[in-house]
Amino acid sequence: MKAGFEAKARQVSLAAVLVGFPVLLYLTWFVAPDWSYQPDVTAPLTRKILFFHPPSAWASFIAYAVVFVLGIAYLNERDLRHDRAARAAAEVGFMMNSIALATGTLWGIQEWAKAGQNALATVYSEPKVLVVVVLWLTFAAYLLLRRFVDGPERQARLAAVFGVLGFIAVPASFLTSRLLTTSLHPDIAGPGSNPDAAVSGDVGMILLVGFLVFLALFVHLWLQRLRILRLEDETAVLEAQETDTP
Amino acid sequence: MNDATTFLLAFGSVFAGIAYYMVWMERKAKALEARLRTLAAKANNQDAPSGNQA
């Protein structure tokens, strides 16, 4: 990617994030339905997490898809630039995955746990949540591997394999709640979504805005992380030259 | 934890976390660019022939 285009894309995505988040907050507060009047909704305020939880999860899945594609590209071409881009995408994807997991946990505690039940145990015995935890742990291991494996080629090769295999949990997470009828997790969009949970109207529109904002956030953070990794490499080269110079 | 506390905790931590990460990355990139400029200037000075050595 050309440096000029990359800088432009970084600025445009930053502008989209800075405009998009206030718009998303406005929509969440003033346009989204007021669920406090619905008797079956136990936590109407917490339900507004809906506009941040799925978008951050979807953005993390896109980030992991980028890691998957770049991992295959690295294994084919052994070009360290692919590895650097994959590493940047994995870090940002992991951050978004963490947001999705944390907000989902808080939401699940409020909505799923019944009186007398251990709320955390209820959330973490849900199959879809478990698959997402596996995904999160896989990419935590991917990032740790980056710290503890020596040699850039060996590190890149192992990371690429890890990233490609780790991506399997993404479609698994999509399928889990659709295939298991005991799943508590609602499927709000896409093929196989629950008819009573499928979103439409204002809620669907706000979710789409949320997804676009998180997508812009991913693009911005990815390019920014890529810029930092490139600068670190260039600095390391010059520092090595400085050390070698008598 | 009640509904309002959960909501505030979720929104506060998401926004604070994202804002912190964005600011941290921008600062880190700026610091690295400054370091790179210093190192490049040093390397250029070492490469350039000195006028006093004759």
Side-chain angles (χ1 to χ4, degrees):
Chain A
M1 215 186 306
K2 295 246 168 59
F5 172 76
E6 201 180 297
K8 199 83 180 160
R10 207 171 55 234
Q11 285 163 1
V12 170
S13 55
L14 176 63
V17 169
L18 294 178
V19 172
F21 266 118
V23 169
L24 183 59
L25 275 178
Y26 173 81
L27 294 172
T28 303
W29 277 112
F30 301 109
V31 179
D34 183 357
W35 284 298
S36 55
Y37 297 106
Q38 289 188 14
D40 59 324
V41 178
T42 50
L45 271 176
T46 306
R47 185 165 275 208
K48 286 182 187 283
I49 287 177
L50 169 71
F51 303 117
F52 296 82
H53 167 70
S56 57
W58 296 335
S60 76
F61 292 167
I62 287 177
Y64 292 150
V66 169
V67 176
F68 174 79
V69 170
L70 287 167
I72 290 175
Y74 174 78
L75 292 172
N76 275 333
E77 299 170 25
R78 303 287 160 151
D79 184 343
L80 282 173
R81 283 176 303 180
H82 295 323
D83 175 61
R84 190 160 54 194
R87 177 182 175 175
E91 287 183 15
V92 178
F94 181 73
M95 188 272 281
M96 294 198 164
N97 196 170
S98 305
I99 290 177
L101 203 54
T103 53
T105 301
L106 290 170
W107 189 5
I109 286 173
Q110 288 292 333
E111 296 251 346
W112 295 341
K114 303 277 178 281
Q117 281 182 334
N118 181 326
L120 265 183
T122 306
V123 174
Y124 283 93
S125 55
E126 162 63 31
K128 182 159 184 157
V129 178
L130 285 177
V131 174
V132 174
V133 169
V134 168
L135 183 66
W136 187 85
L137 287 172
T138 306
F139 279 89
Y142 175 100
L143 296 176
L144 281 175
L145 182 150
R146 295 279 186 182
R147 283 182 183 272
F148 296 118
V149 173
D150 290 330
E153 272 86 20
R154 186 159 174 261
Q155 191 189 96
R157 198 173 58 246
L158 273 173
V161 172
F162 230 89
V164 169
L165 293 178
F167 180 74
I168 293 169
V170 171
S173 132
F174 182 82
L175 289 173
T176 312
S177 50
R178 284 168 169 80
L179 296 179
L180 297 175
T181 49
T182 53
S183 177
L184 288 169
H185 194 288
D187 292 311
I188 56 167
S193 54
N194 307 130
D196 54 340
V199 294
S200 57
D202 284 346
V203 174
M205 182 271 292
I206 302 170
L207 260 177
L208 180 65
V209 171
F211 172 62
L212 294 175
V213 172
F214 272 89
L215 193 60
L217 181 68
F218 162 65
V219 171
H220 174 70
L221 293 176
W222 180 36
L223 295 177
Q224 185 76 307
R225 194 71 191 106
L226 204 50
R227 173 189 174 201
I228 290 171
L229 290 174
R230 193 178 303 116
L231 284 167
E232 281 174 347
D233 286 351
E234 287 170 9
T235 310
V237 169
L238 283 179
E239 278 172 345
Q241 279 175 8
E242 194 185 41
T243 317
D244 293 343
T245 310
Chain B
M1 226 173 3
N2 65 24
D3 186 24
T5 312
T6 309
F7 171 75
L8 286 174
L9 187 67
F11 274 65
S13 53
V14 166
F15 280 100
I18 290 171
Y20 175 79
Y21 193 48
M22 286 173 82
V23 170
W24 176 81
M25 287 230 262
E26 188 57 36
R27 281 189 179 172
K28 177 137 186 164
K30 288 266 160 62
L32 279 167
E33 276 172 351
R35 173 90 182 122
L36 198 62
R37 272 197 299 275
T38 310
L39 287 168
K42 263 190 192 175
N44 284 342
N45 283 344
Q46 280 171 356
D47 291 345
S50 169
N52 294 331
Q53 291 173 348

